[in-house]
Structures are given as C-alpha cells and as structure tokens.
Amino acid sequence: MAQAQTVLDRARRDVDTLAAPWMEGRGYEGEGHRRAAAYIERQFEEAGLAPVGGSYLLPFSFTVDLIRQAPVFALNGAAIPLGAGFLPIASSPSAHASGDARVVIAGSGLYAPDAGVNAYEGLDVRDAIVVLDDAMPSPLPEGLLPASRTTLYRMEAAAHFGARAVVFLTDNLSHGPFPQNTTLPGFLLLRSYWPAETPRIAYSLETTRDEETTSANVLAQCPGTRAADRYLVVMAHYDHLGRIGPDVFFPGANDNASGTALLLGLSRACAEQPFGRTVLFVAFSGEEQGLLGSRAFVADPPVPLEAIDFVLNLDMVASGEDGITVVGGSDFPEALDVLNAANAGVGISRIGKRANAPNSDHYPFLTAGIEGFFIYTNKGTQPYHSVNDVPATLEWDDFQAVYTLSERFLRAIDAR
C-alpha cells in the first residue's frame, strides 16, 4: 500500500506539473512543449535511466497552425467567451465579419451526391455564414460514407456552395488540428448560446498557418539483465493542444499528462527492478498533429525495429467508468491472454479489444509489423480536448489500476 501511494503521489506531481499554466498546454506557441520535454528528461535522469545514443532528446521538424491573438465571436453584438462558449476550428484561415452577412441554417450540412444526400438543396449560401448542427441525424441516410460526416468534409462542402464561414452548434467544445488547412473559417459554438431567433454573427480570427517548428521525442533506456539487445518500448505522448491567444490554454491532464505520468512511474519501477530485456521509455511529441513523433521514430529508429519485441502505448488512462480498451487486442490474441491473466487481482471490470487503428502513437509501430497494444480507459467523465481537462477531475483509482496492470503485463511479456 505504501508503494502504491508513492506511485500515486509522484503521478499527481507529474500531472500537476505537465498541466500547469506555465506549460501553456504543451503546444507549439511559446515554450510549452520544450518545458515539458525538459521536465520529462529531468525525471529520466533522476530515475537513473540512460540516454539513447548520447542524448535523451530526438528532435524532428514539422509545421503547425497557430492562433496568437485571441479570436472574437459575437452574437447580436454580445461577445461569447472563448473556450467556454466557442472555439475556432483549427487550421482555419484568418477571417473577419462585422455582423452584416447573411446567416443560413443548413441542418447537418451533409453532402454526399453518390448517396443522394444534399443538405444544400434549395438553399442559397453564397457569401453567407452557414450554421450547422454538429450532431448527426438519426437514422443516418443510407450509403453515407464516414468521411462525408466529418467536420472537415462538411466545411469543404459549404465552401463548394460558396459559403464564407461555417458555425457548428455543439453540446461539447472539443479542439484539435486537422490533417489539412480548411478553405473556410470555422467555429464551434456551444448550443446553449444560440438564441431563439437567427442572430447577427460577427467574428475576428487571425491565424498563422504552416509555421515551421522543431520539437523532440524524449527517450531513455533501462538496460536489460538477460537480453540487453532485445527491446520492449513503453510510450506516451506528452504534447497537447497548446493555447489560443495569450490567455486560453488546454491543460491536457488526462490527454495525455496521465499517460506520461504512468510512463514515468513505470520508468522508475524499471530503474529499481530492471527487466530481462532492455526497456525503452519514449515520450512522443507531435501526436496531436498527426502522430508525427512516432512516425519520425519509426522512419529513423534509434534502435533496430526488428529488435523490438513489444510496444505498449498509454494515452488517456485516468478517466473511465467501464474498464479499458486495448487497441491491437484483436491482432495479438496471445498477448491479450497475457493481459487478461495479469488482470487477476487488479480487478479492472472490462478489457475490450480492437484492431490496430491510427488513433495514437502505437499505430506506426504496429503497421511496421511490431506486436503491441494501446490501452485507454473507457467512458470517463473527463472532457476531451477541452479547457476543462484539468487535474482536479482525474479519476486516480482508474490510474492506479492501469498502472498496476501495465507493470504486471510488461513483466509477464518480458518473461515469455
């Protein structure tokens, strides 16, 4: 019990630090991602873990979209609070509207000609602000492909019909980058702010798109006692969504300060009791931008990929009410049996399984033919990609269970 409390105390400290305001959401406007990397590097050093190739840092470069000035969004002249009432859609172009543009409501904005679906039929949205319902209709029209339901696709459909901007009415404000720049400016507006009568809409948004930046993956090794040239890789991404303007930031306590804290806890446990194989602990940057850090690692690995026997990815592990899901569990049933056996005595209520999917940093490794899992907790109350993803709302009993299961599972995999 004392050991478990020590693990939790250190994890709370790690999460509180990584989600603190001075980390600026661990994004790429300001020094947030570099401060987070420096903190993780220091934890590896203090645990006594060795660098890989002479350094704990593996830099890589990419482009990002940034919003340095606080955007403004107003209905009938009343400003809506940024972060609490509205968010700009990432990768939008700079744009301004004074409140004199037409406003057209176009339902869900679905447009799929091959399926005979066109929300714009009979509507003139040229140079208008199009207002869409973020939620999908139920039941969905037959033949509607998943891609045509995405926010990005619906924005581009509005652009196709000549709209000047898109506003999505939503019950949950969730921020995140898109894989490509959008043609139109877009906004998410909390549905409760929408008035009974169609309002005048004004906005101001200044964006910097495709700015070059350099970040770094942070990694350390815990040398094996039996097969030092074979590797297990434990990973978690430490980056998050950064900030919008000077004052609004995304703490990312569950996503993914929690996974980073769990990784650090496992690294300390390995330093105290090494495995037979060498364990690489990797904190990735660039995950929120499209798994960029893990893709860079696999493209130019610091150790031979063929020497990696298993990877374990930890992402959003401190908010769950229905057990865990294991991505890769459908692909590697023997390893899933090991995980289920390790759960005896831990008591996680449900271990669900999925096939490999591009939803976190395990994906490039599994695609390269390496066996592995991505574990996350199910159906938690923690807000996703929200300014309210803060340490105070984490569910630490879930974290402790995933930590215990992860260590038992890794030692069982190591013993195979």
Side-chain angles (χ1 to χ4, degrees):
M1 292 180 65
Q3 183 182 25
Q5 189 59 49
T6 299
V7 168
L8 278 180
D9 288 344
R10 288 178 170 176
R12 288 178 185 272
R13 179 197 66 187
D14 293 333
V15 169
D16 286 345
T17 301
L18 291 168
W22 61 275
M23 286 289 186
E24 301 177 291
R26 305 187 304 280
Y28 307 104
E29 169 58 15
E31 296 297 311
H33 65 116
R34 295 189 178 93
R35 290 172 184 153
Y39 176 79
I40 295 164
E41 179 181 16
R42 186 162 62 251
Q43 300 311 304
F44 284 154
E45 288 180 311
E46 291 179 359
L49 300 182
V52 178
S55 176
Y56 291 98
L57 302 178
L58 283 181
F60 64 101
S61 298
F62 52 99
T63 62
V64 293
D65 302 321
L66 303 172
I67 302 175
R68 293 189 168 97
Q69 299 180 28
V72 175
F73 189 91
L75 300 177
N76 293 328
I80 306 301
L82 175 63
F86 89 96
L87 287 171
I89 289 178
S91 306
S92 291
S94 298
H96 306 271
S98 61
D100 57 355
R102 289 188 305 120
V103 176
V104 178
I105 298 173
S108 60
L110 294 174
Y111 177 62
D114 293 343
V117 177
N118 182 4
Y120 294 92
E121 187 173 359
L123 296 179
D124 178 11
V125 301
R126 287 173 294 180
D127 203 35
I129 299 171
V130 172
V131 177
L132 303 178
D133 194 326
D134 190 39
M136 288 289 105
S138 181
L140 283 169
E142 292 186 10
L144 196 66
L145 296 176
S148 61
R149 307 199 297 263
T150 64
T151 299
L152 179 60
Y153 188 97
R154 289 188 283 166
M155 289 183 69
E156 294 308 307
H160 173 76
F161 287 100
R164 66 183 296 179
V166 179
V167 176
F168 288 90
L169 302 182
T170 182
D171 296 315
N172 296 289
L173 292 178
S174 180
H175 189 57
F178 284 156
Q180 65 191 66
N181 291 333
T182 63
T183 303
L184 301 179
F187 301 89
L188 297 174
L189 176 69
L190 206 60
R191 196 185 308 275
S192 58
Y193 282 90
W194 188 252
E197 300 293 331
T198 302
R200 293 176 290 108
I201 297 177
Y203 53 78
S204 179
L205 176 63
E206 294 287 344
T207 61
T208 301
R209 301 206 287 189
D210 303 327
E211 180 161 302
E212 290 282 346
T213 191
T214 297
S215 192
N217 297 326
V218 191
L219 69 160
Q221 59 182 325
C222 180
T225 60
R226 184 185 71 252
D229 59 345
R230 304 300 302 179
Y231 297 90
L232 304 176
V233 177
V234 181
M235 65 183 73
H237 77 89
Y238 70 86
D239 68 308
H240 196 51
L241 303 175
R243 58 182 170 88
I244 297 177
D247 301 319
V248 173
F249 77 101
F250 297 83
N254 193 41
D255 184 14
N256 186 35
S258 69
T260 305
L262 205 155
L263 174 138
L264 291 174
L266 292 173
S267 75
R268 295 169 185 132
C270 187
E272 294 175 2
Q273 185 181 351
F275 286 57
R277 294 173 175 87
T278 295
V279 183
L280 288 184
F281 294 94
V282 189
F284 284 118
S285 186
E287 192 268 357
E288 300 287 8
Q289 301 294 321
L291 316 184
L292 300 184
S294 51
R295 293 183 194 277
F297 184 105
V298 170
D300 186 18
V303 300
L305 292 181
E306 58 271 19
I308 299 174
D309 294 327
F310 200 89
V311 300
L312 180 63
N313 181 29
L314 304 162
D315 191 351
M316 298 190 294
V317 293
S319 181
E321 297 177 343
D322 188 25
I324 62 173
T325 291
V326 182
V327 179
S330 299
D331 303 286
F332 308 109
E334 291 183 4
L336 188 64
D337 289 341
V338 176
L339 185 71
N340 280 307
N343 189 40
V346 178
I348 290 177
S349 60
R350 174 179 172 271
I351 297 180
K353 62 181 180 179
R354 290 179 58 184
N356 185 29
N359 52 357
S360 192
D361 284 317
H362 61 285
Y363 182 74
F365 290 84
L366 271 61
T367 302
I370 299 170
E371 190 174 1
F373 288 160
F374 160 34
I375 290 178
Y376 62 89
T377 49
N378 289 328
K379 297 183 179 179
T381 58
Q382 195 72 9
Y384 176 68
H385 282 195
S386 166
V387 296
N388 298 316
D389 182 4
V390 297
T393 57
L394 292 183
E395 296 161 1
W396 288 104
D397 54 341
D398 297 324
F399 177 93
Q400 179 63 62
V402 177
Y403 175 89
T404 303
L405 177 64
S406 297
E407 183 178 7
R408 291 184 181 185
F409 170 67
L410 285 168
R411 294 196 182 277
I413 287 288
D414 181 52
R416 285 198 303 180

